[in-house]
Amino acid sequence: CGLPAINLKITNFLNSIYFMQKSRSAESWNKVFKAYRTYPEIIGGENRTDTNIIINSKRKLLAKSGAEGVLFVTDNNESYVFNCTDGSKRGVDLAASHFLYSNDWIDIKPFQYLENIYTSNRQNTRAVEIEVV
């Protein structure tokens, strides 16, 4: 996103999202939410996790990756922030897509796409096994 990562507690961030969804700012929030749903490729880019989550969602979702291994996902009723403490985007993308799939928010495609990328080395052999608990 080009902005420096700020030190913001996740609970404060989620509370601010909830406030925007339920306050007089709700109309503006809903316009942003609709824009994410309508133009997911512009939000993240082609074959990016946030884009793939939006495209392959089973419900209306907003998803946005951020700096330092952060991913925000909401359906306007429930919101999640996925964060890897070492700032690894790969870990966050895999864990979030697995969690969302396991909870029936998205289909399997985003997780399979990432699993195929991150579990094979350049010789096209299985490099690692991934388990999200």
Side-chain angles (χ1 to χ4, degrees), residues 21-79:
Q21 291 169 331
K22 306 301 178 195
S23 72
R24 59 187 163 129
S25 301
E27 184 179 343
S28 296
W29 170 262
N30 289 328
K31 287 179 182 179
V32 170
F33 190 90
K34 184 178 179 182
Y36 271 68
R37 296 275 313 145
T38 305
Y39 306 105
E41 291 85 3
I42 295 174
I43 301 309
E46 189 175 318
N47 282 327
R48 294 280 306 265
T49 300
D50 42 13
T51 302
N52 288 339
I53 286 171
I54 295 169
I55 290 171
N56 294 287
S57 62
K58 294 184 175 184
R59 53 176 82 185
K60 293 180 179 178
L61 297 181
L62 178 154
K64 183 62 179 130
S65 295
E68 304 301 327
V70 175
L71 176 68
F72 169 67
V73 180
T74 186
D75 70 352
N76 269 343
N77 291 312
E78 294 180 67
S79 298

